[in-house]
Amino acid sequence: MTPLSQFGRLLRITRVFVRHDLDEFVRALHLFRPYRLALRAVTLRWFPQSSRPRAVRLREALEELGPVFIKFGQMLSTRPDLLPDDIAAELARLQDRVPPFPGEDAEKIVAAALGAPLDQLFRQFDTRPVASASVAQVHYAVLQDGTEVAVKVLRPGIEQIIERDLALLDTLARLAERYAPETRRLRPREVVNEYHKTIHANST
């Protein structure tokens, strides 16, 4: 049984997929088959309307769903044994470049994580990020001994988002194995477990 706390997030995923005319993926989720037509009725979209390739629509849906799904799609794109060629090629185009969060917030996060004011830790800390992605951004800094370093700062609240969506991916994998036997050869739970390790390594 799907935990009630995940129901709203699952429903949002279904709504995003329906909006991108990805009904075939919604039908694969046994739990949400009955909601597909209801969601189309709410949006006055009784029938698929997009003529764009399914791979493009899937990439755009993952981008809309956020960082965990973007990175999951990127990981899947490196596994051509699991995906049709068109989808694997399109997912390789996923981008997780997003606008940076304020440098002042980054300073507070770093100071709190290291337990000391920045002026005690660094001779210089550049508040302008040199790279920004969906999980973290990078700032150049200079240690007190003159060593130049790059500091990766996680986005505020991203850890909770990661854990929430990882738990959801676990649920989706279990649903796939239970209600869509044809997916078992893809080993969805094994793939999600592999992703757990990858994203935790990237967020530390």
Side-chain angles (χ1 to χ4, degrees):
M1 191 70 177
T2 304
L4 184 60
S5 61
Q6 295 180 341
F7 186 86
R9 182 64 169 158
L10 280 169
L11 193 58
R12 179 173 184 269
I13 290 172
T14 305
R15 186 167 64 247
V16 169
F17 276 24
V18 167
R19 187 162 61 248
H20 287 273
D21 293 326
L22 294 167
D23 294 57
E24 62 267 40
F25 294 97
V26 175
R27 287 195 298 270
L29 294 177
H30 177 88
L31 180 66
F32 280 92
R33 288 176 186 173
Y35 296 94
R36 178 172 58 92
L37 292 179
L39 287 169
R40 283 201 172 279
V42 168
T43 57
L44 300 180
R45 292 164 60 92
W46 283 103
F47 302 100
Q49 299 178 359
S50 177
S51 60
R52 291 173 303 156
R54 64 172 183 173
V56 173
R57 289 180 276 122
L58 177 59
R59 172 181 57 80
E60 292 175 347
L62 293 179
E63 288 174 336
E64 183 174 343
L65 287 171
V68 172
F69 288 86
I70 289 171
K71 290 192 174 294
F72 188 55
Q74 290 172 328
M75 187 204 76
L76 286 178
S77 73
T78 67
R79 297 288 305 272
D81 56 313
L82 300 179
L83 300 174
D85 291 343
D86 62 322
I87 291 180
E90 188 65 29
L91 293 188
R93 301 182 60 233
L94 279 168
Q95 302 292 322
D96 66 352
R97 293 190 300 269
V98 297
F101 59 89
E104 293 75 15
D105 291 348
E107 288 181 312
K108 294 175 183 176
I109 292 170
V110 173
L114 298 179
L118 287 193
D119 57 8
Q120 294 181 15
L121 301 166
F122 302 101
R123 183 183 299 177
Q124 179 183 343
F125 185 92
D126 193 343
T127 57
R128 296 168 301 177
V130 294
S132 177
S134 54
V135 171
Q137 62 190 37
V138 177
H139 294 258
Y140 284 149
V142 180
L143 299 178
Q144 293 293 357
D145 64 3
T147 302
E148 296 181 351
V149 296
V151 182
K152 182 170 73 172
V153 186
L154 294 180
R155 287 186 170 272
I158 194 64
E159 291 159 304
Q160 291 83 358
I161 292 172
I162 287 174
E163 294 307 319
R164 178 199 67 189
D165 282 351
L166 285 177
L168 183 56
L169 286 173
D170 281 331
T171 297
L172 292 175
R174 289 196 300 272
L175 287 172
E177 290 187 352
R178 180 174 181 180
Y179 295 112
E182 67 276 11
T183 68
R184 291 173 188 165
R185 66 179 182 82
L186 303 177
R187 307 183 305 280
R189 295 181 72 177
E190 181 179 325
V191 171
V192 170
N193 286 336
E194 178 183 336
Y195 179 53
H196 269 258
K197 297 174 184 177
T198 299
I199 197 165
H200 278 127
N202 289 335
S203 62
T204 57

